Amino acid sequence: EFYFKQDNIKYITNQLERWYDITLEFDKNISMQTGYTGRIKRTATLQEVVEMLNYVMDVKMEIKGNKLFVKRK
């Protein structure tokens, strides 16, 4: 499992970048101050992870090819 405790969105998405061999692209106005806690099984697909994170975070993540775009909601 991937476990995070009060980690910001940059740390979490950096982990996803390594797990799923993707690149990240962030909007300029994304807050890095909020901390998130949770667990994600390593067997989850990238799409499943993105759906979970979109539900709990104040951002909108979208997959296009091998890029993960992180935008403000």
Side-chain angles (χ1 to χ4, degrees), residues 49-59 73:
V49 172
V50 166
E51 288 172 10
M52 286 185 265
L53 294 177
N54 279 339
Y55 184 74
V56 298
M57 293 183 165
D58 58 350
V59 296
K73 276 191 178 174

Side-chain angles (χ1 to χ4, degrees), residues 8-50:
N8 71 21
I9 191 164
K10 184 67 174 161
Y11 174 82
I12 294 168
T13 54
N14 282 342
Q15 297 297 314
L16 297 179
E17 185 176 40
R18 281 187 260 146
W19 278 10
Y20 295 102
D21 193 27
I22 56 172
T23 55
L24 301 172
E25 189 166 315
F26 277 85
D27 273 356
K28 293 179 184 176
N29 297 325
I30 300 291
S31 172
M32 301 296 170
Q33 303 302 318
T34 305
Y36 299 95
T37 299
R39 288 186 287 181
I40 301 172
K41 293 184 182 217
R42 288 190 181 253
T43 57
T45 67
L46 178 58
Q47 183 63 45
E48 291 170 331
V49 172
V50 166

Side-chain angles (χ1 to χ4, degrees), residues 3 18 43 51 66 69 71:
Y3 177 75
R18 281 187 260 146
T43 57
E51 288 172 10
N66 70 333
F69 294 87
K71 304 173 184 181

